[in-house]
Amino acid sequence: MTTSAAPSAAIPTVVLVHGAFADAASWAGVIAELQSQGVPAMAPPNPLRGLASDAAYVASVAAQIDGPVVLVGHSYGGALITVAGTTDNVVGLVYVAAYVLEEGESLGELQGRFPDSPLASSLKQWTYPVAGADPAVEVTIAQDAFPSIFAADVPTDVTAVLAVAQRPLAAAAFTEPAAAASWRTKPSWALVAGADRAIDPEVQRFGAERAGATVLELDGASHAVAVSRPKQVAGLILDAVRATS
């Protein structure tokens, strides 16, 4: 798969990586804002099956794009772009209410530095089949808890749909260590959602500061900040695009 979506080799293509309990449609408002500014964007489906395999998928998408790429990761997607960002044509990283891992660190280890968020007690376990092995565990957010945990600043009619349509994350993703930390060699930006009840804002601030990221903090923003505040999210991404063009 090779795309020549970028109108100019100087303008990076933005690759938007969603996190757990969401899908690529969660970027719809952000995509509209980027397209209105003439910035090419892609929002591939995140497999949500494990950090190493998901990061490899994101890296393969980026590597097949002609020209430079800015990777944007929401939530768990931040861990993926941290690893996938080592791809040669990736020129910048944008973290949106996201985990920013160090090399060799897992999601569980980073989260373990801080008190649990309300998300931890609201996860529901399921199983899924694995060829030639025992069923594996995946998790979703309990539907009745989803609005307050994930999207408190999103209209209730929207959250009712998001809660039903959420995609599960393989539980193994919490314990896999990151194979690389591309923020050590690539410039980064980070948006901290100030009222996030899924990833505590302190976790986001810690990771962003450690990475030396340019930080934008939005008071009152929930974990679903790309849905509730698409203009502000797109604005930070555009800052990264301009800086790397």
Side-chain angles (χ1 to χ4, degrees), residues 31-195:
I31 292 169
E33 293 291 332
L34 295 175
Q35 290 179 336
S36 73
Q37 299 298 314
V39 175
M42 293 180 62
N46 182 348
L48 300 177
R49 295 295 81 173
L51 198 157
S53 61
D54 294 343
Y57 176 74
V58 172
S60 74
V61 171
Q64 294 175 78
I65 294 173
D66 292 333
V69 168
V70 168
L71 288 179
V72 181
H74 173 246
S75 188
Y76 166 65
L80 303 187
I81 70 169
T82 294
V83 178
T86 58
T87 306
D88 288 344
N89 63 330
V90 173
V91 294
L93 310 166
V94 182
Y95 296 93
V96 178
Y99 288 111
V100 186
L101 297 182
E102 175 61 281
E103 182 177 353
E105 185 177 56
S106 69
L107 295 174
E109 288 170 340
L110 174 57
Q111 181 60 59
R113 297 169 180 257
F114 302 87
D116 281 343
S117 73
L119 172 68
S121 60
S122 301
L123 293 176
K124 182 175 181 179
Q125 291 193 356
W126 306 77
T127 60
Y128 63 96
V130 178
D134 293 334
V137 176
E138 62 186 11
V139 292
T140 59
I141 302 173
Q143 287 188 24
D144 59 348
F146 187 94
S148 65
I149 298 295
F150 198 89
D153 58 349
V154 176
T156 55
D157 59 332
V158 177
T159 59
V161 174
L162 296 179
V164 172
Q166 61 179 300
R167 291 183 55 212
L169 174 66
F174 291 102
T175 57
E176 285 189 61
S182 59
W183 47 260
R184 289 192 169 277
T185 57
K186 309 286 175 78
S188 61
W189 290 257
L191 186 150
V192 175

